[in-house]
Amino acid sequence: MAQLIEHPCVQHKLAIIRDEETGHKRFRELATEITQFICYEALKNLPTIEVKVTTPVAEATCRKIDTKLVVVPILRAGVGMLDGILELVPTARVGFVGLYRDEETKKPVTYYERLPPQVRGGTCIVIDPMLATGGSTSAALDILKNNGASDIVVVCIVTCPEGVEFVETRHPDVKIYAAAIDDRLNEKKYIVPGLGDAGDRLYGTSH
Ligand code: PRP
Ligand code: URA
């Protein structure tokens, strides 16, 4: 099952980002803010290593992250979550997977792949605000695994039961984190109530 982030600060921002009256500038800011909260939880189980640090007073026993992180936004809407996660893990590497949903079939079409070698052996975080049918996320996970990735989490903002089931059936090893699991998909395979077309709302390209 996907893990929901139910923190009131996330849910409050989600209410605003869903609102059709929220314009692209505020939408982008909220996508960044919500991503930070979700990733804070999604990265909770990262491996750490003990290190000694000399403070001005004494030696402290501390912990540092002990894996190579690769953030993978699914183009184009996933880029709207990139700043948010990089605020948490600024040294992460970034790989890109370009996918769009064919308007007729609703199936993902791959048009770009650029992944750093650290996907093999590192920890990959796939980011995309919308996990609808799950086709795009599942295709991105196939691409990552074909490039040697084995430790992967997915962070989205809104998903729905059909999409979660689709991804979990194909990738049971991958945990999904989301701020909302909505009711269903409509006949156009949009999430209901969702937030509309995330790419258009992020980049102001609908009208
Ligand atoms: C959206 C969204 C996901 C995908 C979700 O992208 O950002 O990538 O649809 O749908 P799915 O779960 O049914 O595959 P879109 O194809 O609209 O491309 P864009 O990001 O370039 O706008
Ligand atoms: N893509 C979006 O941007 N929104 C949806 O609801 C479904 C797919």
Side-chain angles (χ1 to χ4, degrees):
M1 199 52 197
Q3 182 164 334
L4 259 185
I5 310 302
E6 292 176 298
H7 194 289
C9 293
V10 177
Q11 295 304 316
H12 183 91
K13 290 176 192 299
L14 186 62
I16 304 170
I17 204 171
R18 284 188 194 273
D19 190 333
E20 64 180 359
E21 298 294 333
T22 299
H24 56 271
K25 173 182 178 287
R26 188 72 191 118
F27 192 98
R28 280 201 286 263
E29 293 164 353
L30 287 159
T32 298
E33 294 163 14
I34 293 169
T35 302
Q36 280 177 2
F37 277 106
I38 305 176
C39 290
Y40 185 75
E41 185 64 24
L43 301 180
K44 187 168 74 174
N45 296 318
L46 287 180
T48 58
I49 187 169
E50 189 175 297
V51 292
K52 302 285 184 200
V53 174
T54 307
T55 80
V57 179
E59 189 175 76
T61 303
C62 306
R63 304 204 71 81
K64 284 191 167 176
I65 293 171
D66 189 30
T67 183
K68 296 204 161 59
L69 293 167
V70 182
V71 181
V72 183
I74 300 179
L75 302 175
R76 108 195 117 135
V79 173
M81 300 172 72
L82 187 56
D83 286 351
I85 185 167
L86 290 181
E87 295 236 348
L88 286 185
V89 286
T91 59
R93 290 168 171 83
V94 182
F96 293 92
V97 173
L99 293 168
Y100 68 87
R101 283 200 327 183
D102 181 274
E103 293 207 351
E104 293 297 313
T105 66
K106 312 298 182 202
K107 300 265 189 285
V109 179
T110 308
Y111 61 88
Y112 190 71
E113 279 183 43
R114 189 80 191 241
L115 296 169
Q118 290 79 9
V119 298
R120 185 186 293 276
T123 301
C124 301
I125 305 114
V126 174
I127 52 175
D128 190 328
M130 310 307 282
L131 195 166
T133 65
S136 302
T137 296
S138 186
L141 294 173
D142 288 339
I143 291 168
L144 275 169
K145 289 180 179 179
N146 288 339
N147 281 272
S150 58
D151 180 17
I152 316 173
V153 295
V154 168
V155 175
C156 59
I157 295 179
V158 182
T159 185
C160 60
E162 295 96 315
V164 170
E165 190 188 339
F166 187 87
V167 175
E168 282 184 344
T169 303
R170 284 154 185 80
H171 299 283
D173 54 309
V174 175
K175 191 154 182 184
I176 300 166
Y177 294 83
I181 303 177
D182 279 3
D183 298 341
R184 61 185 173 86
L185 296 171
N186 66 15
E187 64 290 347
K188 292 183 173 166
K189 303 293 183 197
Y190 271 72
I191 298 173
V192 181
L195 48 74
D197 187 308
D200 281 346
R201 294 200 63 192
L202 273 165
Y203 303 118
T205 48
S206 55
H207 42 258

